[in-house]
Amino acid sequence: MKSSERARVDVDTWVGRTARSIASAVRDGHITAREVVQDHLSAIDRHNPELNAIVTVCAEDALAAADDLDRRREAGKILGPLAGVPFTVKDTITTAGVRTTAGSRALASNIPMRDATAVTAFKAAGAVLIGKTNAPEFGACGLTRNDLFGVTTSPLIADGIPRSPGGSSGGESASVAAGLSVLGLGTDFGGSVRWPAHCTGLVSIRPTLGRVDTDGQIPGVVFDGYVLANPVTVHGVIQTIGPLARNLPDLELALNVLSNPALAPVEKSVDTNTLDIRWAPGDGTMPVDDEIVDAVSAAAHMLRAKEYNGTALSRGHALFSTLRATESHADIRVLVGTETEQLTSEIRAALDARPQHLDENLWAERAKLIQQFLDEMGDVLIMPVASILAPPLGQESFTVRGRELTWMDVLASCRAISVLGLPSVVVPIAQARNGLPVGLQIVARPWREADALAVAARIASLPRE
């Protein structure tokens, strides 16, 4: 699928339509949920073999769920805000009765008993699970490939070069960008919903830690059919679940559906002119491609943002890496049991590596770093998502300003924000010379997703050169 064909809206199909328009039409009886789902299943049949975005298609279950919605509407029942909206779920998030492999041959036959809480929330709002999407094994890579399902390709081929949709929620970004699903549920540890959105021209959000229930992510603690977030691992503390969408109103709707019911909905009225907006050309430790910096700088100029001149941001990536190196990966060991020979060499090496000692002082350093950054960032900080544009398939090292970077290095700006636990919205702001999208990361203070979304909406409304 060429970039010009991505999520094409056709008068004869509901593929490419917004979540809000689909839900409204289903609730009003202008279209049946079955017809919406059938349109998306047809799109999957046509385009997924080329993309390898969706690895498990839930056709029968999706049609049954759609029929149930249609029966409820005919009976006069009130349908939810996502009525009939097809969504996909990253294959590291548990889905009851639907294969959840985490991209690992060791879990190729794993069928969970229970949905992740986030999946339950989407279903309760009327959304229809249409498939599970590809991810690197246990989400442990910024590129979407594994030995079980293979490589996922981005639907954007702006310059004729097949490219990665990012990772580890790359199957999600490819599916949503191609119009195979309307909304996606991904996870974000070191940038896994932000980097894929940047690569495919989508919008996404990493919520404040605690806004969205994190249970149901693999790896985690298995208990009585649940997979629980492990509160004493770095992964369990820092990783969260976040949505991907093609437009900001749908993203905000998805976030409100996912948000902890004890929290107030994300407010809609934020005057961005009253916000103290600052900007940075990167995390301060890794070089960033000139085109990306220029796009961020242009956005900062339009917003009249002041340049960030603090020191906390440049320490975030190193602290993330240090904390990550303390992981023993015990949760993975429990999940795979005796099937360790089915793991890739990368994961086996991680299991065999001797973890660094987790000094309590590291958590103390994190607490102090968060406070320092909050003192420095203003209300909102805008910055790059990554050091590079979407990379060609198969490329895993990158030269930026004469420096050789790994995929972990290019995500330094994401990882620095992850360790701080702050909300971050990604929105496309420009098109590079080769036609690829450039995403902007908009970081807000804790629980102030509304500020980031408001700034994103203001940027989206500005004319592009």
Side-chain angles (χ1 to χ4, degrees):
M1 181 183 294
K2 304 298 184 185
S3 60
S4 60
E5 298 172 341
R6 176 174 62 115
R8 181 172 61 90
V9 177
D10 191 301
V11 293
D12 296 324
T13 179
W14 284 81
V15 171
R17 309 279 180 127
T18 68
R20 288 175 181 267
S21 65
I22 289 172
S24 177
V26 169
R27 286 195 300 267
D28 293 343
H30 296 153
I31 188 73
T32 65
R34 171 173 269 268
E35 288 173 293
V36 173
V37 169
Q38 285 176 324
D39 281 351
H40 285 81
L41 289 174
S42 295
I44 291 169
D45 287 342
R46 290 194 305 273
H47 300 299
N48 193 57
E50 178 184 358
L51 301 176
N52 192 34
I54 300 177
V55 294
T56 300
V57 180
C58 310
E60 291 185 9
D61 289 346
L63 289 170
D67 289 342
D68 182 61
L69 283 167
D70 292 333
R71 284 192 294 269
R72 290 172 57 202
R73 184 193 60 77
E74 291 171 1
K77 303 291 186 181
I78 297 175
L79 303 184
L82 295 179
V85 174
F87 76 105
T88 42
V89 174
K90 183 178 181 179
D91 205 27
T92 60
I93 300 175
T94 57
T95 43
V98 178
R99 179 174 65 164
T100 303
T101 73
S104 179
R105 292 180 298 172
L107 297 179
S109 301
N110 178 51
I111 299 179
M113 296 170 56
R114 302 179 187 271
D115 283 327
T117 308
V119 175
T120 298
F122 259 31
K123 288 181 176 180
V128 178
L129 177 62
I130 204 166
K132 302 296 293 291
T133 56
N134 205 19
E137 190 169 28
F138 294 107
C141 181
L143 304 168
T144 300
R145 76 300 192 261
N146 58 57
D147 287 353
L148 180 59
F149 298 116
V151 177
T152 296
T153 302
S154 172
L156 303 188
I157 312 180
D159 55 359
I161 299 174
R163 293 182 180 271
S164 171
S168 59
S169 304
E172 277 307 311
S173 65
S175 178
V176 175
L180 308 187
S181 52
V182 182
L183 297 173
L185 280 181
T187 66
D188 192 300
F189 182 44
S192 292
V193 297
R194 291 165 287 164
W195 160 239
H198 163 77
C199 288
T200 55
L202 298 178
V203 294
S204 69
I205 184 166
R206 175 191 167 90
T208 305
L209 290 176
R211 178 172 287 281
V212 176
D213 194 306
T214 57
D215 286 344
Q217 299 178 84
I218 295 175
V221 179
V222 179
F223 174 74
D224 194 26
Y226 287 100
V227 178
L228 308 174
N230 192 330
V232 298
T233 66
V234 177
H235 185 274
V237 171
I238 291 177
Q239 181 159 290
T240 189
I241 291 175
L244 300 94
R246 293 191 293 270
N247 63 80
L248 286 167
D250 283 356
L251 186 71
E252 182 179 338
L253 174 60
L255 179 63
N256 275 327
V257 166
L258 293 171
S259 289
N260 187 322
L263 300 173
V266 175
E267 63 188 82
K268 297 180 182 297
S269 57
V270 173
D271 183 357
T272 58
N273 292 312
T274 66
L275 297 177
D276 178 1
I277 303 175
R278 306 186 188 187
W279 80 282
D283 80 309
T285 69
M286 295 293 164
V288 179
D289 180 88
D290 288 339
E291 279 196 275
I292 296 175
V293 174
D294 289 346
V296 174
S297 176
H301 177 73
M302 289 186 287
L303 293 168
R304 297 181 180 177
K306 296 175 287 188
E307 188 161 3
Y308 169 83
N309 59 8
T311 61
L313 184 60
S314 63
R315 292 161 48 204
H317 179 219
L319 180 58
F320 180 98
S321 300
T322 301
L323 283 167
R324 191 171 187 266
T326 66
E327 294 278 42
S328 68
H329 305 292
D331 290 338
I332 294 179
R333 292 181 186 277
V334 172
L335 282 165
V336 303
T338 60
E339 300 295 315
T340 54
E341 72 282 355
Q342 296 293 321
L343 300 173
T344 61
S345 58
E346 293 172 294
I347 298 298
R348 285 202 305 272
L351 293 181
D352 293 339
R354 185 170 182 172
Q356 296 180 16
H357 175 62
L358 181 55
D359 191 330
E360 291 180 0
N361 288 328
L362 288 176
W363 292 114
E365 181 181 345
R366 176 177 179 260
K368 290 185 288 187
L369 191 65
I370 291 171
Q371 188 57 57
Q372 181 185 343
F373 185 70
L374 291 175
D375 291 340
E376 298 173 349
M377 69 171 285
D379 295 314
V380 170
L381 176 74
I382 64 172
M383 62 187 297
V385 177
S387 294
I388 61 171
L389 302 171
L393 284 183
Q395 185 174 340
E396 303 210 8
S397 64
F398 316 93
T399 303
V400 179
R401 294 186 178 181
R403 184 171 171 183
E404 196 75 10
L405 305 181
T406 66
W407 65 261
M408 288 182 284
D409 295 330
V410 304
L411 298 183
S413 291
C414 278
R415 290 151 69 95
I417 299 305
S418 290
V419 78
L420 299 170
L422 302 180
S424 176
V425 170
V426 168
V427 62
I429 54 168
Q431 191 175 73
R433 287 188 295 272
N434 62 3
L436 292 175
V438 178
L440 176 71
Q441 185 176 191
I442 306 168
V443 183
R445 301 177 75 83
W447 313 109
R448 294 302 307 170
E449 284 85 354
D451 291 345
L453 287 165
V455 171
R458 181 173 167 187
I459 290 171
S461 69
L462 295 171
R464 294 191 194 175
E465 297 182 359

